[in-house]
Every structure is written in structure tokens, then in C-alpha cells.
Amino acid sequence: ENRPIPEPGPNEVLLRMHSVGICGSDVHYWQHGRIGDFVVKNPMVLGHEASGTVVKVGSGVTHLKPGDRVAIEPGVPREVDEFCKIGRYNLSPTIFFCATPPDDGNLCHYYKHSASYCYKLPDNVTFEEGALIEPLSVGIHACKRAGVTLGSKVFVSGSGPIGLVNVLVAKMMGAAAVVITDLSSSRLQKAKEVGADFTIQVKNESPQEVASKVESLLGCKPEITVECTGVQACIQAGIYATRSGGTLVLVGLGPEMVTVPIVNAAVREVDIRGIFRYCNTWPVAIALLASKRINVKPLVTHRFPLEKALEAFETTKRGEGVKVMLKCDPSDHNP
């Protein structure tokens, strides 16, 4: 990396990056150069699941100092618009977001970021856990939008990293039983490890058959379904599976147009909700990690130094393991 080290503005901090997770979206931009309307037109740095150490602070920064270990929230509003005013800043149309064109991400040695969106990590939370707050935040936001509460029965569709964090968070929020589906038996095994009560390996069942398997394992239809694949058949299964009056949250992003049994959802008053990233989740996640109420460590299955980034991306592309983590700071031995 031969770019000059950036100088932080008054409300920014300069960070020496430490741990950066690879997300499916990073791989998608690398392979296809676009996700929906977001098109890569110029060279772009990837990476948005990250933690690092503060090296320098801007003149207006008071809550951080050099040497502080921080987790980075990648979405920073550029203006205080109507969405910021109601606390839903993730919906701000002009938001800066790491590794979403044209905004650079933080898979590099040095990176500057808005100080307000860097959160100090307690001593008992590792850099790696700090980087995992980003995917964990998707689970927190999705389960909040779904209304998971004491005794909820939950169906999670898809056992990739996002499906797994939804299992972790749903159980943490009081779900009595969580059933999860996937094509891969190894991913379902990982789901068991992080707390799923039941797993279903989908082969070539119809959406209705998947829904009835979910119901028979739980002993009833789930009040909540969290769909993490974006696959048309899975969204269909999610609608059929959800109890009347329940909620289906769509987390996974697939094609823009999908065919779904919308009348089935409508006449049974199944609420369908979307989520876009997250907001106000970093303090919650840090509190959960510091108190050891939630354990994200089993999610990391592969680690690579930054110099082997290509190998790390190839590993993610092949769907090996769960979360691939890159280490940007070779001089530091803190995991």
C-alpha cells in the first residue's frame, strides 16, 4: 500500500487498522463491480467490518485518544436530515458507508473515520470481536425490527454469517426455540454450536414442505421469521411458515423482482418488514460482548494477514468456513 497516510479532520481520528472481516458484499463488488444501483466506477478499497487503534485525533475530538482500541461503525451520515432527527440515520440517502461505491472501505493499514462512529473497546473485548460487531449489528437490528421477545419461536432462513448472528441475538433476546435452514450441513452444525435448537438441511423440498417441517419441529408455526438468503423460494417458505399475525423480516438481498405469495401473507396479517444495515447498535453490541452475554468468537474460521488478501477473498468466494478475518497490523499480537 503506497498511498499517503491521511490526516484526520477536526472531528475525525486516524486509525492503524487491525482486524477486518470479509463480507459477501465485498466479494460481490470484487467479482461483479456492482450491487443493485451501487456501481464501482473507480478503484475502491473494500472492507467495512473493522477495528483498529487510534493513532491521531482531530482537534475537536474529546472522547478518544491515541492508543485507544476501537470498533468502527461504517455508516456515517453526511448531514442531519429527517432520518437522523428520528434516530434512523441508516436510512439517510446521502450517508457515507465504507466500501459502498464511491466510498472507500478500511481494508488497509491506515484509515481515517468520523470520531463519533468509532467506539472504544473495553479491555476484555478483542479486536476480532470488535470487527464482528458489524455483522452482529445486522442481527441486533433485524431481531429488534422483528420484535423478538421472551418465549418467541423463531425461524431463521440461511445459516451463513448473518443467519448465525440472528440465532445468537434471537436467543439472547429470549427466544424459546430457534429453527434454522440451509443447504450446507457444515453450516447447520455451526448453527447448532451457536445455539440453534433445530436445523433443517434443505434439499429439493417445495417452500410449503419447508414451512411444514419448520412447524413440525417447533410444534407450532413461528411468530417470527428472519430471512437471510434473498432467494425467492426461501422468501416464499418464510411467508408460508410464519404464524398468522406474525412478522417476516427480509434481511438477505437477492434479485430486485421476486414472486411471492403476497395474498397468503395479507389475508393472514403477516407483517413483512425490511431492514437496511443497522443503527444505534454499536453500544448495545459492545455491552453484550463485554458482559460475555454473547459469544461471537466461533464465527471466525479463517485468518489471513493483509498481504494474503487475495487468498482470503478466494476462500470466502468458495464459501469455506463462516467468517474470514484479515489482520492488517503484523506488529501486534493481540487477537
Side-chain angles (χ1 to χ4, degrees), residues 33-263:
R34 67 180 301 154
I35 294 177
D37 295 335
F38 296 111
V39 183
V40 180
K41 293 183 177 145
N42 298 301
M44 179 180 84
V45 179
L46 291 169
H48 59 266
E49 306 177 359
S51 63
T53 305
V54 176
V55 178
K56 208 182 227 185
V57 301
S59 55
V61 178
T62 54
H63 72 291
L64 293 171
K65 63 185 186 306
D68 282 348
R69 299 157 61 255
V70 297
I72 300 162
E73 179 172 0
V76 180
R78 286 187 168 95
E79 56 186 317
V80 181
D81 58 15
E82 57 182 314
F83 298 106
C84 293
K85 287 176 184 171
I86 60 166
R88 299 179 73 177
Y89 56 87
N90 57 314
L91 302 179
S92 175
T94 57
I95 196 166
F96 166 93
F97 197 88
C98 293
T100 295
D103 303 331
D104 278 332
N106 41 34
L107 184 50
C108 49
H109 289 304
Y110 289 97
Y111 173 74
K112 67 172 183 174
H113 200 68
S114 165
S116 300
Y117 293 80
C118 293
Y119 301 83
K120 194 170 176 205
L121 292 172
D123 292 341
N124 68 340
V125 177
T126 66
F127 280 116
E128 220 163 66
E129 289 174 296
L132 288 166
I133 290 174
E134 197 279 341
L136 180 60
S137 286
V138 178
I140 294 170
H141 192 56
C143 287
K144 277 187 174 174
R145 293 267 296 152
V148 179
T149 186
L150 284 173
S152 296
K153 303 276 196 344
V154 180
F155 166 32
V156 176
S157 171
S159 189
I162 296 301
L164 296 176
V165 293
N166 274 285
V167 171
L168 280 168
V169 175
K171 294 294 283 190
M172 176 70 233
M173 288 172 78
V178 176
V179 59
I180 189 165
T181 51
D182 203 89
L183 299 168
S184 155
S185 59
S186 62
R187 291 205 154 181
L188 290 172
Q189 186 51 45
K190 184 60 85 170
K192 274 271 195 217
E193 267 178 58
V194 302
D197 298 280
F198 307 103
T199 62
I200 298 170
Q201 187 173 3
V202 179
K203 296 196 165 67
N204 43 22
E205 295 88 342
S206 69
Q208 289 96 329
E209 286 168 339
V210 171
S212 92
K213 281 190 172 186
V214 168
E215 183 176 3
S216 65
L217 279 175
L218 289 173
C220 59
K221 285 181 182 291
E223 302 100 328
I224 288 160
T225 298
V226 185
E227 207 301 298
C228 303
T229 71
V231 174
Q232 177 172 289
C234 299
I235 300 171
Q236 293 170 352
I239 289 176
Y240 291 130
T242 308
R243 188 183 305 183
S244 297
T247 304
L248 165 64
V249 175
L250 301 176
V251 183
L253 298 176
E256 185 178 5
M257 290 292 178
V258 290
T259 303
V260 294
I262 200 76
V263 174

